[in-house]
Amino acid sequence: MPTPHKTRPDPLTMEVVELIGDVVARFYSDYEDAAAEHALTGAQARLLSLLSLEPLPMRKLAQKLKCEPSNVTGIVDRLEARGLVERRPDPADRRVKVAAATEEGVQVARSLREGLRFAREPLTGLSQGERESLRDLLRRMRDA
């Protein structure tokens, strides 16, 4: 079976890839700063943000965070000790435990999102239509 011929990406594509990398790096740096303001690690903040949207089983959390389930267990343990997360039986299968943000955890997650200066400030300079176009393009990239 012949191998497909790979072509080099064009300069515009390479520039877009570099810009995406720069934006991601700045976002993560800002996220780490916002997490530190709440005495959280970046991983703890990301997990708490996910759980503020919906309770999730540990395996699903590990998939979303792209890490081992044992790492998730440790992160949940630390957040639970602070009263930001709790374990509950899964309503669909009581043998399974889900992690869920407590009310305080939801408030901290909201504060984290509001503290993301880099993620928020540049977007305010874009028009509604530009933000919608950017959103739609990012969704297409994500779903491709």
Side-chain angles (χ1 to χ4, degrees):
M1 183 165 169
T3 55
H5 179 68
K6 291 190 176 191
T7 59
R8 300 187 97 212
D10 63 275
L12 177 58
T13 298
M14 291 306 300
E15 182 180 4
V16 170
V17 168
E18 288 294 321
L19 288 168
I20 290 170
D22 292 346
V23 168
V24 168
R26 286 186 60 193
F27 175 81
Y28 276 117
S29 175
D30 195 32
Y31 204 89
E32 294 286 333
D33 292 344
E37 290 176 17
H38 294 277
L40 296 170
T41 65
Q44 290 171 335
R46 285 187 290 281
L47 188 142
L48 184 60
S49 291
L50 286 171
L51 293 179
S52 73
L53 302 174
E54 64 178 326
L56 293 167
M58 300 294 204
R59 286 199 186 284
K60 184 79 129 194
L61 280 168
Q63 290 170 346
K64 287 184 175 279
L65 294 172
K66 300 191 183 345
C67 68
E68 293 296 318
S70 60
N71 291 347
V72 169
T73 300
I75 295 168
V76 169
D77 287 345
R78 288 185 286 283
L79 291 172
E80 190 172 36
R82 289 188 52 187
L84 301 175
V85 167
E86 62 187 11
R87 289 176 169 91
R88 303 176 186 160
D90 185 338
D93 182 350
R94 298 193 59 78
R95 297 170 295 173
V96 175
K97 293 278 191 195
V98 296
T102 62
E103 188 57 42
E104 183 182 357
V106 170
Q107 290 173 0
V108 169
R110 185 177 305 121
S111 178
L112 274 165
R113 282 190 292 276
E114 291 169 358
L116 294 174
R117 290 170 295 282
F118 172 70
R120 185 183 62 241
E121 290 171 2
L123 293 175
T124 61
L126 300 177
S127 71
Q128 171 94 12
E130 288 171 326
R131 289 193 309 274
E132 289 171 355
S133 293
L134 179 59
R135 178 203 58 206
D136 295 344
L137 290 168
L138 290 171
R139 283 180 177 168
R140 278 179 51 195
M141 286 184 70
R142 179 195 65 195
D143 297 340

